Amino acid sequence: MTEFHYISYSQEVIFGVGSLDRLSEAVDRSRWQRLMLCASNSARRSGHVSSVEAALGHRLVSIYDHAQPHVPESQVAEALALAVDHQVDAVIGLGGGSPIGLAKAVSSALEEKRTGQPARAAFPTDQPLVPVIAIPTTYAGSEMTAVHGITQHADGSSRKITFTDPKITPKLVIYDPRLTLDLPPTMTASSGLNALAHCVEAVYSITRHPLSTAAALSGARYIVHALPRCHAAGDDLDARTEMLIGSHLAAISLSNVAMGFHHGLCHALGGTAGVPHGIANAIVLPHAMRFNLDATAPQLAQIAEAVGLAVNGQGAEAAGEAAAQRIYELIDQMKLPQHLRDVGVSRTDLPHLAQVALQSRAVQSNPKPIRDAAQIEAVLEGMW
Ligand code: NAD
């Protein structure tokens, strides 16, 4: 890693217990006057939507509060119509990766509508017309990235397509651990595994750099320490705070490196087979690590150390295998599904899923080259 190239993004990040109370002053500073909120039903039920309403008052001109997983394109069209009608000047994504992804998709579509030009930034420093504000309530990490995915339906099948544009990176991110206290145990565990997967794939990424590696290893340390405690006692504010720091570091590590096989496969399982994103991460991660082990052993050995294993005297491959096993045990301890057959994926779907995954950018960027769908199908068989 003596040559590297990456883009970092200009973002204001406010982290801390009670930091949602600082939303109003941050919005004032940026002179946003007409904000739209994208959220899921759970944020309405838990009162988080009301908290944002109370903080923003008349500046909140529109609310779309039924964002569904995986950002269906029909919802992007609905939310965009609302944003246009209300002439919004900023879009808030409150919740998990789905409402934050929806806010990014709306921001991007508004840019194209208002300028008549493709939204993508010519220079990484280009500013959006209608920026995104992210208030995460899970550990998915979309708040720190320039990527969003939309699930498109065509010819009786669906597929998640990802887009990258520095302009849609949220300009303001508010992390308030209080907003994660109501995250149910399974969602806590699976979303936490998603964050851990960001660390693993960042450490062996073909575009890794010193900062992404430092963030990923530190993130993995926080996550393995805090996640089981958050799963066991969701109201443990100290554990929730530590876990959110871990997921923030994981998201930083993910934000400017190429992801690999693991992420490409999770997108295929989510967009095409409807598997919830965090659950897909839990099923795939140990398999993806083992698949990549011969090409990435020194990096996976770093993960082994970060997750607390004593690797002294072991070869890198043995240490990398121990890291995969440690993560498998964590998944088992938190009682997450470990097989595709347990989450409604039919064995006859595996060849199609392998074909879909093969076309993903992430799979094409995997550190161990993947040239044909048969390689992917064999891994899918192993996790079925
Ligand atoms: P999600 O946003 O789909 O939410 C899953 C469920 O959790 C929903 O039912 C939601 O209502 C509920 N939920 C969220 N926060 C809650 C809370 N605090 N309390 C109770 N319930 C809560 O799930 P996710 O795993 O956060 O995000 C997954 C999506 O994000 C996928 O579409 C994935 O592709 C995307 N993603 C994008 C990036 C990126 O960089 N762009 C990174 C990671 C994930």
Side-chain angles (χ1 to χ4, degrees), residues 40 42 96-99 137-138 140 142 145 147 160 179 182-184 187 277:
S40 323
S42 66
S98 298
T137 67
T138 72
S142 176
T145 78
V147 179
K160 194 163 189 176
L179 303 182
D182 59 345
L183 194 61
M187 193 56 212
H277 190 63

Side-chain angles (χ1 to χ4, degrees), residues 341-365:
R341 61 174 178 271
D342 298 337
V343 294
V345 178
S346 147
R347 196 171 188 175
T348 53
D349 290 342
L350 302 185
H352 177 59
L353 288 167
Q355 287 291 350
V356 172
L358 184 64
Q359 286 156 36
S360 106
R361 249 188 322 169
V363 168
Q364 287 157 17
S365 307

Side-chain angles (χ1 to χ4, degrees), residues 37-49:
L37 176 64
C38 297
S40 323
N41 289 325
S42 66
R44 172 63 85 186
R45 283 196 303 276
S46 60
H48 301 329
V49 168

